Amino acid sequence: MSRLPQTQRALQFNRVGGPEVLEIATSAPLPSIKPDQILVKNAYAGVNYIDTYFRGGVYPASPLPYTLGREGEGTIVAIGSSVTDYKVGDYVGYMGPESQAEYTAVSANYVIAVPAGVEPGVTAAVLLQGLTAFTLIRDAHEVKRGDAVLVHAAAGGVGLLLCQLLRAVGAGTIIATASTKEKLQLAEKNGATHGIDYSKEDWVARVKEITGGQGVIAVFDGVGKSTFDGDLEVLARKGSLVSFGNASGVVPPFSIGRLSAKNLKVLRPTLFMYLTTKEEFTEAATELLRFVKEKKVDVKIHKIYSLEEAQQAHKDIEGRGTTGKLVYKL
Ligand code: NDP
């Protein structure tokens, strides 16, 4: 094994703020591994909207300097003493913090071997968003054949994967919202049966119209503040509002009594609370990567950035100009 360096490059910030607070630390310490961890030399790391929440102060980031990242892909360069199922040299994908750096220490519970036939960069592109989409339609609200559902920001990273998985499980009416015609066309290519430009149209009225006044049985909403009230309106009796993100801002407190008019459910899930054990992660990640390998799921990569282009990546995703996934190549 080649000797490991003492320091590394890592994408960090020292204070919360706009994309300009992002910087590359050139001599960040190499992480040390605990007995149940492995050390990965990253080849790729996924960009996720959550990176902007930490950078911008929506979610607390400590300690500072804070190294960003939630998923990656690369070669194992060191193994903790209690890890038995991986070895140095294995090429793996993983979920875990501080992935936007040259090296990441990650719990072996959240590691998956990259199957032959899955292109480099694709595992880092699909793991977190794919598993999010998967658990949202399986665990948050189990979508059944024929269901009418609504997906907001349907041309985004999670959105496009949601559309594909909803089509795969046989949802009947898959209504997509997005902010441009091109994004809606992409969502429709990925499984949406109807598209609404929610930046221009009265999307609440359109959802009611498309569903013949019935409404949808589930809304999958990563947009948050700006769509929450409308979601309650377009849900059918006993429907579920699955609110899983805050791209437009955090949903303000609301009166629980608003749910009783239609016996609605509101959920605010996070992926890591669905996949808490090695078995849960491995089962879901294996199935997701099998889907990718068999081309049942298409992973649309918007752009591959260098770590040095991180400010631009944040501007792009927050500026609503991206479709699919943004990835860093280390
Ligand atoms: P996306 O690629 O979907 O980017 C966000 C999209 O949100 C934009 O492209 C934009 O699409 C839409 N949007 C709507 N309003 C705004 C606004 N005011 N400012 C910026 N964007 C807006 O990102 P991801 O796929 O990474 O994440 C999607 C959502 O899922 C995020 O909220 C994220 O936090 C959440 N998430 C939650 C997880 C969980 O465990 N709970 C796990 C993973 C993601 P358009 O222009 O079409 O409106």
Side-chain angles (χ1 to χ4, degrees):
M1 188 179 77
S2 59
R3 264 175 67 95
L4 294 172
Q6 300 284 303
T7 60
Q8 61 161 342
R9 284 160 57 244
L11 177 61
Q12 298 186 331
F13 57 87
N14 263 296
R15 60 186 171 90
V16 297
E20 71 283 354
V21 302
L22 296 173
E23 54 193 31
I24 306 290
T26 51
S27 53
L30 210 70
S32 53
I33 48 171
K34 301 192 179 100
D36 62 344
Q37 289 186 319
I38 63 168
L39 188 68
V40 178
K41 183 172 194 321
N42 293 310
Y44 296 90
V47 180
N48 288 288
Y49 212 90
I50 197 171
D51 302 343
T52 72
Y53 301 149
F54 285 115
R55 187 218 71 219
V58 176
Y59 293 166
S62 75
L64 293 173
Y66 188 87
T67 301
L68 282 164
R70 281 287 177 279
E71 65 188 325
E73 168 189 329
T75 305
I76 297 180
V77 292
I79 294 274
S81 55
S82 66
V83 178
T84 54
D85 41 1
Y86 293 100
K87 59 182 188 316
V88 169
D90 287 351
Y91 193 76
V92 296
Y94 67 88
M95 294 200 320
E98 303 191 351
S99 67
Q100 292 165 12
E102 285 180 283
Y103 294 87
T104 303
V106 58
S107 160
N109 288 351
Y110 293 107
V111 173
I112 185 96
V114 174
V118 174
E119 294 293 314
V122 170
T123 304
V126 74
L127 212 45
L128 192 144
Q129 295 180 342
L131 293 175
T132 299
F134 184 71
T135 54
L136 289 180
I137 70 165
R138 181 190 70 174
D139 300 322
H141 176 97
E142 190 183 350
V143 175
K144 305 215 168 59
R145 190 160 281 281
D147 278 352
V149 300
L150 172 64
V151 178
H152 286 306
V158 177
L160 282 181
L161 293 162
L162 267 174
C163 289
Q164 293 182 52
L165 294 182
L166 286 164
R167 173 171 61 188
V169 299
T173 304
I174 305 168
I175 306 174
T177 63
S179 66
T180 68
K181 195 168 76 190
E182 293 71 25
K183 286 185 175 188
L184 291 170
Q185 281 167 352
L186 187 62
E188 285 168 23
K189 236 176 85 182
N190 281 267
T193 57
H194 300 76
I196 306 173
D197 183 340
Y198 58 0
S199 71
K200 298 189 187 72
E201 297 176 70
D202 179 347
W203 63 270
V204 170
R206 287 277 291 120
V207 173
K208 288 183 183 167
E209 189 190 318
I210 291 164
T211 57
Q214 294 293 305
V216 290
I217 197 64
V219 179
F220 297 98
D221 186 341
V223 170
K225 188 177 178 181
S226 68
T227 43
F228 183 82
D229 289 332
D231 292 346
L232 296 181
E233 273 195 67
V234 299
L235 276 166
R237 186 175 68 90
K238 300 199 282 184
S240 301
L241 166 43
V242 182
S243 179
F244 62 95
N246 340 283
S248 70
V250 176
V251 175
F254 69 101
S255 166
I256 199 168
R258 291 175 69 189
L259 305 181
S260 61
K262 290 185 277 185
N263 284 6
L264 301 178
K265 301 183 194 76
V266 174
L267 299 94
R268 194 9 180 131
T270 72
L271 174 60
F272 283 88
M273 279 294 113
Y274 283 132
L275 305 180
T276 56
T277 65
K278 184 178 181 68
E279 290 69 33
E280 285 171 338
F281 172 77
T282 305
E283 187 214 345
T286 303
E287 189 166 352
L288 176 69
L289 291 181
R290 185 169 57 76
F291 269 46
V292 172
K293 186 178 168 170
E294 293 172 0
K295 310 240 180 296
K296 289 184 179 144
V297 167
D298 178 45
V299 184
K300 182 183 181 299
I301 296 183
H302 173 76
K303 187 172 165 187
I304 298 179
Y305 299 76
S306 68
L307 221 47
E308 284 70 18
E309 294 172 308
Q311 292 190 3
Q312 191 58 49
H314 278 228
K315 284 179 196 161
D316 290 347
I317 196 166
E318 288 181 299
R320 304 173 76 162
T322 68
T323 52
K325 180 74 178 184
L326 291 66
V327 177
Y328 294 122
K329 189 172 192 318
L330 273 304

